[in-house]
Amino acid sequence: MFERYENSPIYPIKNTKGNGNRIYVKREDLLPFSLGGNKVRIAREFFRDMEEKNCDTMVVYGNTRSNLCRVIANQCYIQNIPCYMISSREEHEKEREETGNSRLMELLGAKIIPCTKAEIASAVEETMKAIEKTGRKPYYIYGNKWGTGNEATATAAYVKAYREIQDFEEEHALSFDYIFHASGTGATQSGLICGHILAGDSTKIIGISVSSREYERGVSVIRTGVESYLKDRKISRNFDTDQEIFLECKYNKGGYGIYDEEILDCIRRQFRKNSLPLDPVYTGKAFLGMEKYLEEQKITGKNILFLHTGGTPLFYDCLYAGKLKQEGI
């Protein structure tokens, strides 16, 4: 079930800004597993790696809003694999917030281990040791307790997805000048960049940061993902990796999970005009960032692809909380 899904559709949408750009969207949110999203592809790579390493217990890390944790918990339930989730709250949060994703994780039996940001490494280490004492072999998706060492695995997901984009371009006799997407952990952007490098095309991959991670740190994470993947596949390179990394941090509204009325207005507009469900944490922030980037850079008449990375439960969180209501409508 997890392994069998079709490519996500790509189609044009109405450009509500009227700048002459042709906007297309790749609907990763429609991948038919666990409410879809880019994390379906990334989770699949983690499970393959876990199996190759003969591990039998999954350890993940993520906030209560995490799409990846939801997808992994779902697959663990299906395969009867114990799933432990290290869950920190953001610095601006006084307590751990409940979301549609966190409720689904609980429904799927994930063992939630709450902690602060400063306690993540120690929580991972303690959890891994406790699992090992039971005789099981845990797999932590990000590598070591500091969250490094397994970048190439996640990156591989969007190298493969990039080939789908190339197939669409070939079939429809067009080339995308820009690909925009929400950039959080950096895995999706690393994979798209590797796909672009291997294709040798001129497409510019623009990640819109949705976190509070500073620019240099964000670029470093993406760089590591790209270089780890190329090294792992023994692919030689004769270019400056940083010249291929375009990460925009000024549209993050202050950090992960923080949003404002401008983002909510973008979500309303895109659902009304294009039937496109965006969320305030990831895709709504990224779509608005894309619009602002195109306007500020005075980009017109180009083929633009927006990669909808998913987050359906978060769209409904926003809807059911009444945040999409608007006076006078």
Side-chain angles (χ1 to χ4, degrees):
M1 183 176 181
F2 185 75
E3 291 289 344
R4 298 192 297 273
Y5 57 76
E6 299 175 356
N7 297 349
S8 64
I10 298 176
Y11 58 82
I13 62 174
K14 182 177 181 180
N15 183 349
T16 61
K17 290 298 182 178
N19 52 24
N21 292 309
R22 295 169 292 276
I23 309 292
Y24 294 75
V25 61
K26 183 169 175 60
R27 296 287 302 272
E28 298 289 83
D29 60 313
L30 297 181
L31 290 173
F33 180 80
S34 194
L35 299 174
N38 64 329
K39 303 308 184 183
V40 171
R41 297 182 189 271
I42 291 172
R44 181 172 68 168
E45 298 302 322
F46 282 136
F47 276 94
R48 284 178 174 171
D49 189 51
M50 177 183 178
E51 184 176 352
E52 288 175 3
K53 292 176 179 175
N54 296 312
C55 295
D56 57 17
T57 303
M58 180 65 80
V59 180
V60 303
Y61 162 73
N63 186 276
T64 58
R65 303 171 183 84
S66 173
N67 294 314
L68 178 60
C69 289
R70 178 197 75 236
V71 173
I72 286 180
N74 206 161
Q75 182 63 13
C76 281
Y77 187 91
I78 290 170
Q79 292 188 222
N80 197 29
I81 295 172
C83 180
Y84 293 77
M85 177 191 168
I86 312 298
S87 178
S88 69
R89 64 179 184 274
E90 296 301 304
E91 294 176 357
H92 65 275
E93 296 173 340
K94 293 182 179 180
E95 58 185 24
R96 186 174 177 273
E97 294 184 11
E98 271 199 346
T99 68
N101 277 339
S102 68
R103 294 184 187 98
L104 288 171
M105 294 171 213
E106 292 169 0
L107 171 67
L108 294 163
K111 298 175 178 63
I112 311 297
I113 302 168
C115 66
T116 66
K117 285 275 190 180
E119 296 169 335
I120 295 171
S122 59
V124 170
E125 184 175 40
E126 291 170 9
T127 300
M128 297 285 279
K129 286 182 178 179
I131 295 169
E132 288 168 351
K133 285 183 179 180
T134 68
R136 302 188 71 90
K137 188 175 180 181
Y139 174 87
Y140 181 48
I141 61 172
Y142 294 126
N144 61 30
K145 68 178 183 179
W146 305 111
T148 61
N150 203 24
E151 293 84 0
T153 299
T155 296
Y158 272 85
V159 178
K160 297 173 182 177
Y162 199 85
R163 296 180 191 132
E164 294 177 20
I165 296 171
Q166 287 180 276
D167 290 342
F168 179 88
E169 291 175 312
E170 182 176 345
E171 181 182 351
H172 293 81
L174 63 81
S175 296
F176 289 116
D177 299 292
Y178 297 86
I179 298 176
F180 289 86
H181 69 288
S183 187
T185 63
T188 297
Q189 188 160 358
S190 297
L192 291 173
I193 291 171
C194 286
H196 149 70
I197 289 169
L198 295 175
D201 59 28
S202 60
T203 305
K204 185 178 288 189
I205 314 298
I206 310 287
I208 304 297
S209 175
V210 298
S211 75
S212 57
R213 184 180 285 163
E214 294 184 358
Y215 175 79
E216 292 300 331
R217 174 57 180 157
V219 168
S220 175
V221 170
I222 296 166
R223 181 194 306 122
T224 299
V226 171
E227 295 183 346
S228 296
Y229 177 85
L230 297 177
K231 181 179 179 181
D232 189 61
R233 269 65 176 181
K234 296 180 173 57
I235 299 171
S236 60
R237 60 185 182 86
N238 55 357
F239 56 86
D240 182 353
T241 303
D242 284 9
Q243 294 299 311
E244 302 293 342
I245 299 174
F246 300 93
L247 179 66
E248 290 295 328
C249 296
K250 64 181 177 180
Y251 309 119
N252 69 3
K253 299 293 185 179
Y256 184 81
I258 301 175
Y259 56 92
D260 59 12
E261 185 61 28
E262 191 176 27
I263 288 179
L264 294 176
D265 185 63
C266 177
I267 295 172
R268 294 185 194 104
R269 174 163 39 87
Q270 289 308 315
F271 192 79
R272 288 168 176 162
K273 297 290 187 180
N274 289 307
S275 190
L276 195 63
L278 303 175
D279 74 87
V281 180
Y282 302 104
T283 54
K285 186 175 289 188
F287 199 98
L288 179 63
M290 174 185 73
E291 290 183 328
K292 286 180 171 291
Y293 182 94
L294 294 173
E295 180 181 1
E296 292 167 6
Q297 298 297 318
K298 296 180 171 57
I299 295 170
T300 63
K302 300 297 184 181
N303 291 321
I304 311 295
L305 178 65
F306 179 74
L307 185 75
H308 188 312
T309 51
T312 299
L314 303 176
F315 168 77
Y316 284 108
D317 282 345
C318 191
L319 179 67
Y320 293 154
K323 294 179 180 179
L324 296 183
K325 291 181 179 178
Q326 194 172 18
E327 292 184 9
I329 299 297

